[in-house]
Structure formats: structure tokens, C-alpha cells
Amino acid sequence: MDLKLNKELHRNFEKLKRLRKLKEKEPDNTYHFWEKEISKCEHNIVEVVEEMLKN
């Protein structure tokens, strides 16, 4: 497994967990667009996994 991809995957998972926790704490926070950030992070995870599967 590519170490760089593994680190990137781990980083994205950690970010996703943090975003979900923050969203739970502040669901009515209109300043931050939780769903957009979470979706972006999930998309990054899918891209990394696809790249890992290619190798």
C-alpha cells in the first residue's frame, strides 16, 4: 500500500470525524456550511480509495 495514499486517507477520515462532531455540537451554526465540508471530505476519501485500488 502506498504510504502517501494511506496517510492522506487517514487525514481525511480524521477530518471527517471532526467535522461530524462539530456539526453535532453546533447544528444551527449558519456561519459554517457543514454539509458542504463533509461532502467534500467524503469525496476526497473516495478519490483516495479509488487511487489505492488502481495500484
Side-chain angles (χ1 to χ4, degrees):
M1 185 180 301
D2 187 345
L3 186 57
K4 180 183 170 192
L5 291 175
N6 192 23
K7 286 182 180 181
E8 188 175 343
L9 184 62
H10 179 70
R11 191 171 43 250
N12 280 297
F13 270 122
E14 292 301 314
K15 182 178 179 180
L16 182 60
K17 286 193 285 187
R18 283 192 308 271
L19 287 170
R20 287 179 175 166
K21 284 181 184 178
L22 288 170
K23 181 183 174 191
E24 286 177 14
K25 288 181 184 178
E26 302 177 40
D28 297 328
N29 184 342
T30 57
Y31 177 75
H32 197 88
F33 301 107
W34 299 117
E35 292 305 320
K36 183 178 180 182
E37 289 294 315
I38 289 172
S39 177
K40 181 179 169 184
C41 193
E42 289 171 340
H43 176 76
N44 289 342
I45 290 170
V46 169
E47 286 186 336
V48 171
V49 169
E50 286 176 342
E51 185 64 31
M52 291 171 87
L53 290 172
K54 286 180 184 177
N55 295 333

